[in-house]
Amino acid sequence: KYEDAMQLYQKALEMKLKTYEPEDWSMTFTYEKMGQVLQLQGENEEAIDRLEQALASVRKNLGEKHPRIAMVYNSIAKVWAQQGDEDAAMDLLRKAVMMHLGYSHELYRPLENHADLAKIYITMAD
């Protein structure tokens, strides 16, 4: 079903690109979801590319310190951990946690980042 999801996201992306610039805020969700599906398919390099597009969109539209960046960092860190680069994943998750500490809105889930850090530590211990 991942292929079906990717086809729909790709179609949505193509439609949006007819109206919006590649770094428009409205593109962020599509890039991020495509990256997550690509990660689930094991297409890590492509996943990173899409997630970096999401990150560029957030930075351009919301600024460098917006907590949404931490959420994208979390997604990128998951891909790095899946690739076996736990150190890079932990560094990025730490940045995400530090960004979350400045925000209390429920949308910005610091506990998810802490749980992801714990998973990486467990992986490293194995």
Side-chain angles (χ1 to χ4, degrees), residues 105-117:
H105 191 282
E106 67 185 73
L107 173 66
Y108 312 119
R109 303 173 302 265
L111 292 178
E112 179 179 329
N113 295 112
H114 282 82
D116 289 331
L117 275 170

Side-chain angles (χ1 to χ4, degrees), residues 16-29:
K16 286 181 179 183
L17 285 172
K18 290 178 182 177
T19 306
Y20 302 106
E21 294 296 319
E23 289 184 356
D24 189 87
W25 168 246
S26 66
M27 306 297 284
T28 304
F29 176 80

Side-chain angles (χ1 to χ4, degrees), residues 68-111:
R68 182 74 189 163
I69 287 179
M71 296 173 78
V72 179
Y73 281 170
N74 188 53
S75 295
I76 293 170
K78 287 178 181 180
V79 178
W80 284 349
Q82 182 173 314
Q83 288 178 311
D85 194 349
E86 290 90 358
D87 290 335
M90 285 194 324
D91 288 344
L92 202 54
L93 284 171
R94 283 187 188 109
K95 282 175 76 172
V97 168
M98 294 308 292
M99 289 181 81
H100 280 313
L101 291 176
Y103 296 90
S104 60
H105 191 282
E106 67 185 73
L107 173 66
Y108 312 119
R109 303 173 302 265
L111 292 178

